[in-house]
Amino acid sequence: MTDIIQLLPDHVANQIAAGEVVQRPASVVKELLENAIDADATEIKLIIKNAGKVLVQVIDNGKGMSVTDARLSFERHATSKIKAAEDLFQLNTKGFRGEALASIAAIAHVELKTKRAEDELGTAIEIEGSIVKSQEVSVTPIGTSVAVKNLFFNIPARRNFLKSDTVELRHISDEFHRVALAHPNIAFTFYHNGSELFNIPSENYRQRVVHIFGAKTNEKLVPVEEETEVLKISGFVGKPEFSKKTKSEQFFFVNQRFIKSPYLNHAIKAAFEGLLKEGYHPSYFLNLTVDPKTIDINIHPTKTEIKFDDEHTLYAILRSAVKHSLGQFNIAPALDFEHQSSFNTPYNYKDKTASAPAVEVDSHFNPFSEDISSRKQTMVQRTSHKQTPSASWEGLYVGLESKGNNSGDDFSQVTFESDSRNESIFSDSSIETTKTTFQLQQKYIVSTLKSGMLIIDQNRAHQRILYENFLKHITIKEATSQQLLFPLQLHFTPSETKIIDDLKVDLEHTGFVFSQLNEDEITIIGVPVGVPESEVSIILEQLISDVENDVPDANFSATDLLAKSMAKSLAIKNGQSLNSTEQEHMVNSLFACKEPNVSPTNRPTFITMAVDDIEKKFM
């Protein structure tokens, strides 16, 4: 019997490793940007084509590499970051595994150009699928340029799993934001298909947040500063009134490394307790500095998960620091019996002298003097004289009782057209008022069928009704719009505004009218009929969230996604009471739809119970 266990070839092992390290173009962007930062670059340029499917290129002005280092960098487990296992707990760099470039080179065409300051000439290497095609001397600036082309060219199945360009670009933007926020001292430039998306200079942390998320973000930020023996916290949290329904503005950085931590996120939510509306999430941009010995980064290939030595202490410090900042800046009420903030003198009035009040008072005024009393009595007499009518209205009808017609009928027997008639053409006994529908738990509409009972989920049913209506309006392009009395101004981040801009034509077909659409501000002067003005921002936030998180395949059009999102935002919520007319209209509208059985998200809208099934319950 022959042996069956064998060593895998290097190119196969690299492709397997690439499945963990490189999941989409955004993974390549993350690895290349982190390598540029580890090379002590002060300027980094990111160039993307077709959402990274055709090209991902990162150019930096860092230290560069020698000829040997350039060739060795594409070998598995080759790294300059660590030398021993103990170094894992003294990490001051982004990377340490030595797998990124080897994994990327296994599934793409890679061109590397690099040069050190002390070298006269640089090195250029071309690799395709782990195979070195060329290595030669090159004239190149100081630093490193890595171009990754045709990602997953040798794994077509993996390439087919990639989403649309809009979704993939959104993931790349997220990675860019995380790296740029963690390093405000580095200048970044971001290009996509030849157009400049970001050009961020070296600046302080507050300016970096404002540059990425828009100028209006500045007024939303509340600074957080705290330093203890265990933990140092710096950064900002957003004011409660600017909270969002999505978690797109939540950033934790531990030792300048972006992490995801549900446990620490709960500490922030606990600090905002009682200040946020239900379903909304706080915004925060917080840098945590801890001793590298107290954390373990080697948990996940993406290095976004970290284990802390003492999570409970960090939780308590973080919660207290955020709560203190909210109270210090009068965002949340502070309970301090020795200090009353309302007694503080504003800075504008600090050096001003107090002036006497300008109100004049008549100290000799007496409301009980004779002059006042006689004046009031005269006014009362004049008023009563004006209110007395010259003649009573009854006098107009004197003698009418005696006047009658020739037949001697009494005037009271005359009928007029204006008299209300309560009689019915049917006798009371023939009327049987029956209620065909009723509402159960303010969530379900129950109606009767010949064969039994019909139970409708009012939220899903209304979603189906609105979804088909929106699709019809968008397709026909004849939606009606109601003009707003005052223009509605909404503020979004540049990336969110880009999503709205891409869907602008379809939004206009549903009834929205835009007068202005800038980088961080949208002005709306018309909304679809039936959409309250207060719901507009919620609808657009939900739409942005769906585009970002639902990750629709290429088979789904933007029109379909827009109709689904708006239907989900405007549908009647569970817990809303409906009268009989509204219930019947809901039932009739649902069964007038083309697909009444399921909601836009393919969930059942109603169920039926036959009489036989009900009878079985009583056996």
Side-chain angles (χ1 to χ4, degrees), residues 458-485:
Q458 66 183 34
N459 176 258
R460 295 181 188 176
H462 201 211
Q463 281 190 40
R464 165 53 63 178
I465 297 167
L466 293 175
Y467 170 68
E468 294 199 2
N469 284 338
F470 285 132
L471 275 184
K472 177 182 176 183
H473 289 318
I474 296 173
T475 306
I476 299 175
K477 303 179 181 179
E478 293 181 355
T480 55
S481 175
Q482 58 183 5
Q483 298 298 306
L484 298 176
L485 186 60

Side-chain angles (χ1 to χ4, degrees), residues 106-120:
I107 54 172
H109 298 165
V110 180
E111 293 181 4
L112 169 70
K113 292 182 180 181
T114 183
K115 177 183 176 239
R116 297 183 300 179
E118 59 268 27
D119 297 333
E120 292 185 3

Side-chain angles (χ1 to χ4, degrees), residues 521-594:
E521 184 177 88
I522 296 174
T523 304
I524 298 174
I525 59 175
V527 296
V529 174
V531 176
E533 184 178 342
S534 58
E535 295 283 330
V536 173
S537 61
I538 299 175
I539 292 171
L540 295 181
E541 284 182 11
Q542 183 68 54
L543 175 62
I544 292 169
S545 174
D546 289 340
V547 173
E548 293 175 353
N549 302 323
D550 282 1
V551 195
D553 293 328
N555 299 331
F556 290 91
S557 64
T559 301
D560 184 78
L561 178 65
L562 173 61
K564 284 182 180 177
S565 180
M566 290 185 62
K568 183 164 59 175
S569 300
L570 294 173
I572 293 172
K573 302 298 185 288
N574 293 328
Q576 184 171 342
S577 179
L578 303 176
N579 58 37
S580 301
T581 306
E582 293 170 336
Q583 295 170 23
E584 292 178 7
H585 180 70
M586 178 83 72
V587 175
N588 295 333
S589 300
L590 174 64
F591 289 101
C593 294
K594 295 180 180 179

Side-chain angles (χ1 to χ4, degrees), residues 257-532:
R257 183 190 301 275
F258 173 79
I259 68 159
K260 296 178 181 178
S261 175
Y263 187 69
L264 296 182
N265 178 66
H266 188 274
I268 303 293
K269 294 191 73 173
F272 276 86
E273 186 177 3
L275 300 175
L276 297 176
K277 292 183 287 186
E278 186 177 356
Y280 283 76
H281 304 279
S283 301
Y284 53 81
F285 314 88
L286 295 175
N287 298 294
L288 312 180
T289 305
V290 298
D291 188 349
K293 296 179 181 178
T294 62
I295 59 174
D296 186 3
I297 302 171
N298 195 21
I299 303 296
H300 193 272
T302 59
K303 299 186 279 288
T304 56
E305 297 179 15
I306 289 182
K307 279 190 176 180
F308 294 94
D309 190 18
D310 189 359
E311 280 189 329
H312 298 288
T313 302
L314 299 183
Y315 181 100
I317 296 174
L318 184 60
R319 178 178 177 274
S320 299
V322 173
K323 207 169 185 65
H324 174 71
S325 292
L326 293 175
Q328 184 180 10
F329 291 91
N330 295 329
I331 306 300
L335 189 62
D336 190 348
F337 296 103
E338 298 179 358
H339 178 75
Q340 176 55 264
S341 59
S342 60
F343 295 157
N344 291 344
T345 304
Y347 290 111
N348 297 338
Y349 295 87
K350 184 177 62 174
D351 300 326
K352 290 185 178 181
T353 58
S355 59
V359 179
E360 296 182 1
V361 179
D362 185 4
S363 57
H364 302 290
F365 176 76
N366 183 3
F368 302 103
S369 64
E370 294 181 359
D371 295 339
I372 297 296
S373 302
S374 61
R375 195 181 309 156
K376 286 185 177 180
Q377 187 174 2
T378 306
M379 291 292 291
V380 170
Q381 289 176 355
R382 289 177 181 175
T383 306
S384 60
H385 176 72
K386 288 181 180 179
Q387 291 178 348
T388 304
S390 59
S392 177
W393 63 270
E394 290 91 341
L396 299 174
Y397 302 95
V398 173
L400 284 178
E401 307 87 16
S402 59
K403 293 180 182 180
N405 53 18
N406 296 332
S407 61
D409 288 337
D410 189 63
F411 191 81
S412 62
Q413 295 177 347
V414 178
T415 59
F416 297 90
E417 277 189 343
S418 59
D419 286 354
S420 60
R421 303 183 62 87
N422 298 325
E423 295 85 353
S424 174
I425 59 174
F426 300 105
S427 61
D428 293 342
S429 59
S430 64
I431 297 178
E432 184 181 355
T433 58
T434 57
K435 189 176 180 181
T436 58
T437 62
F438 70 91
Q439 198 175 20
L440 178 65
Q441 297 291 322
Q442 295 184 341
K443 184 177 182 181
Y444 303 104
I445 298 174
V446 182
S447 183
T448 57
L449 295 171
K450 290 183 179 179
S451 59
M453 184 169 60
L454 176 72
I455 304 175
I456 300 174
D457 186 307
Q458 66 183 34
N459 176 258
R460 295 181 188 176
H462 201 211
Q463 281 190 40
R464 165 53 63 178
I465 297 167
L466 293 175
Y467 170 68
E468 294 199 2
N469 284 338
F470 285 132
L471 275 184
K472 177 182 176 183
H473 289 318
I474 296 173
T475 306
I476 299 175
K477 303 179 181 179
E478 293 181 355
T480 55
S481 175
Q482 58 183 5
Q483 298 298 306
L484 298 176
L485 186 60
F486 299 102
L488 181 63
Q489 292 184 337
L490 302 175
H491 301 285
F492 295 98
T493 63
S495 57
E496 292 172 340
T497 306
K498 180 67 167 58
I499 294 174
I500 298 296
D501 190 29
D502 293 339
L503 298 173
K504 180 183 176 183
V505 175
D506 290 330
L507 283 169
E508 288 174 342
H509 292 161
T510 63
F512 284 97
V513 181
F514 299 90
S515 68
Q516 191 175 2
L517 207 156
N518 293 333
E519 189 179 57
D520 59 352
E521 184 177 88
I522 296 174
T523 304
I524 298 174
I525 59 175
V527 296
V529 174
V531 176

Side-chain angles (χ1 to χ4, degrees), residues 77 95 97 148 163 178 184 194 245 358 386 479 555 560 578 597:
H77 307 301
R97 288 199 178 97
V148 179
K163 305 301 180 182
R178 293 166 183 174
K245 298 192 76 172
K386 288 181 180 179
N555 299 331
D560 184 78
L578 303 176
N597 298 329

